[in-house]
Amino acid sequence: DECQWKGPFYFIQGADPQFGLMKAWAVGDTENGDDEWGEEIKLAEQAVQAINNLNPKPKFFVLCGDLVHGMPGTRWRKEQEQDLKNVLKNTDQDIPLVFVSGNHDIGNTPTRETIDNYCKNWGDDYFSFWVGGVFFLVLNSQLHFDSSKCPELKQAQDLWLDEQLVVAEKQKCKHIIVFQHIPLFLRKPDEDHDYFNLEKSVRQEIMDKFHKAGIKAVFSGHYHRNAGGCYRGLEMVVSSAIGCQLGEDMHGLRVVIVTDDKVVHRYYSLNELSSQGIEKELLDLLAKQN
């Protein structure tokens, strides 16, 4: 039933609640300084409350990675995860949660064990789903960043992705949208590789595959700032964090409206979304039934 287009809808994208980073960043110790996360709890609570108050309700709420700051096996990780789960439990039960794995969730160089642990806690590290005629793909971008300790898992995801794109083509979906933690690029498709994007040759291969498949947009986090750009009709959308900000942006969420012919989005600060909700211009797009 969800494979059929039924008219415009919207979802909410958030990224990097990353419980523990604000303290770690403030004290200049990102390895061990994450022993407090009260500030992030409040921000995540504000995000959940803002989403719950939206009318009409979003189809789902996707969190694009770095759920907590503690890397696999570090001291505060379990408590950070439990506290985040406690906050997210209050999300309206009619709004499904979608989780994307980030580098802090499975490690900068993931292993089969770190990925297995993530999956036990948060669900699969890659999967697909349909909403109202739109095909969504959730990817584990860490496998594209450094799969040296689990090359067979990267191979399995690559194979699966190719199969999914064949399915999408056969089903004649309205749009294909991708979620991953690490952006393909921040501003320009040919920018140099650094910590915040994917290595150039890997990126090019993925961009070409996505372009060929007609993918409309890729939504990610990781950068803790808003950014983005385009590659041959494929839009790369980088959303700032619910948690720690590394630039000039405010703690926030992105509202994404999917219409018959386009994907329109706007980043709101948590305060804006809490006090004013979604602006009329975007709501009007939702009201236009085909």
Side-chain angles (χ1 to χ4, degrees), residues 100-103 106-107 110-111 115 118-119 124-127 138-145 150 153-154 157-158 160 179-182:
V100 181
S101 62
N103 56 305
I106 56 176
T111 64
I115 291 174
Y118 168 85
C119 292
D124 292 341
D125 59 321
Y126 59 89
F127 55 96
V138 171
L139 298 181
N140 177 346
S141 56
Q142 222 49 43
L143 294 174
H144 291 127
F145 193 81
C150 54
L153 296 184
K154 178 192 182 292
Q157 177 176 255
D158 288 348
W160 171 86
F179 300 120
Q180 58 186 57
H181 178 62
I182 300 179

Side-chain angles (χ1 to χ4, degrees), residues 3 9 20 25 40 49 52 63 67 71 78 84 100-101 105 110 145 159 164 167 173 182-183 208 234 240 245 258 288:
C3 298
F9 65 87
W25 192 257
E40 284 98 336
Q49 211 167 357
N52 286 348
L63 269 173
L67 306 172
M71 286 280 189
K78 280 198 167 64
L84 178 59
V100 181
S101 62
D105 306 312
F145 193 81
L159 196 64
Q164 295 297 305
V167 168
C173 55
I182 300 179
D208 287 337
L234 167 72
S240 197
Q245 299 300 311
V258 185
K288 286 180 186 160

Side-chain angles (χ1 to χ4, degrees), residues 267-287:
Y267 185 84
Y268 288 85
S269 74
L270 294 180
N271 291 341
E272 268 182 306
L273 203 59
S274 302
S275 60
Q276 296 154 30
I278 302 170
E279 69 209 282
K280 186 178 180 310
E281 183 191 350
L282 292 186
L283 289 173
D284 285 349
L285 288 175
L286 284 176

Side-chain angles (χ1 to χ4, degrees), residues 48-197:
V48 165
Q49 211 167 357
I51 292 167
N52 286 348
N53 290 338
L54 293 172
N55 185 20
K57 288 188 199 314
K59 286 285 186 183
F60 59 88
F61 170 29
V62 58
L63 269 173
C64 282
D66 281 2
L67 306 172
V68 298
H69 183 66
M71 286 280 189
T74 56
R75 186 172 173 191
W76 304 106
R77 180 184 173 96
K78 280 198 167 64
E79 288 176 54
Q80 289 169 358
E81 287 192 316
Q82 193 50 57
D83 283 352
L84 178 59
K85 284 180 181 177
N86 290 341
V87 173
L88 293 174
K89 271 180 199 154
N90 296 317
T91 310
D92 187 309
Q93 60 190 31
D94 294 332
I95 304 171
L97 292 166
V98 178
F99 297 108
V100 181
S101 62
N103 56 305
H104 280 263
D105 306 312
I106 56 176
N108 285 322
T109 306
T111 64
R112 184 175 280 279
E113 186 192 11
T114 63
I115 291 174
D116 280 349
N117 283 338
Y118 168 85
C119 292
K120 281 187 195 111
N121 257 310
W122 301 101
D124 292 341
D125 59 321
Y126 59 89
F127 55 96
S128 64
F129 62 98
W130 287 85
V131 174
V134 177
F135 193 48
F136 292 93
L137 293 162
V138 171
L139 298 181
N140 177 346
S141 56
Q142 222 49 43
L143 294 174
H144 291 127
F145 193 81
D146 183 358
S147 63
S148 56
K149 288 187 179 165
C150 54
E152 75 288 357
L153 296 184
K154 178 192 182 292
Q155 210 177 344
Q157 177 176 255
D158 288 348
L159 196 64
W160 171 86
L161 177 59
D162 290 342
E163 287 166 359
Q164 295 297 305
L165 294 175
V166 170
V167 168
E169 193 178 11
K170 278 192 184 140
Q171 291 273 14
K172 298 278 181 278
C173 55
K174 186 60 82 172
H175 305 293
I176 311 173
I177 293 174
V178 174
F179 300 120
Q180 58 186 57
H181 178 62
I182 300 179
L184 297 168
F185 58 90
L186 296 173
R187 290 192 171 84
K188 293 183 181 151
D190 61 349
E191 69 197 16
D192 289 340
H193 166 56
D194 66 20
Y195 174 78
F196 288 113
N197 60 19

Side-chain angles (χ1 to χ4, degrees), residues 218-276:
V218 178
F219 289 87
S220 72
H222 189 51
Y223 191 45
H224 295 254
R225 285 154 280 205
N226 287 309
C230 274
Y231 173 76
R232 300 173 70 189
L234 167 72
E235 190 181 7
M236 180 68 242
V237 185
V238 185
S239 294
S240 197
I242 291 170
C244 189
Q245 299 300 311
L246 300 183
E248 302 302 309
D249 295 295
M250 306 292 286
H251 310 281
L253 294 164
R254 193 172 291 277
V255 172
V256 186
I257 304 213
V258 185
T259 74
D260 186 51
D261 58 342
K262 54 187 189 280
V263 178
V264 182
H265 52 85
R266 187 185 153 198
Y267 185 84
Y268 288 85
S269 74
L270 294 180
N271 291 341
E272 268 182 306
L273 203 59
S274 302
S275 60
Q276 296 154 30

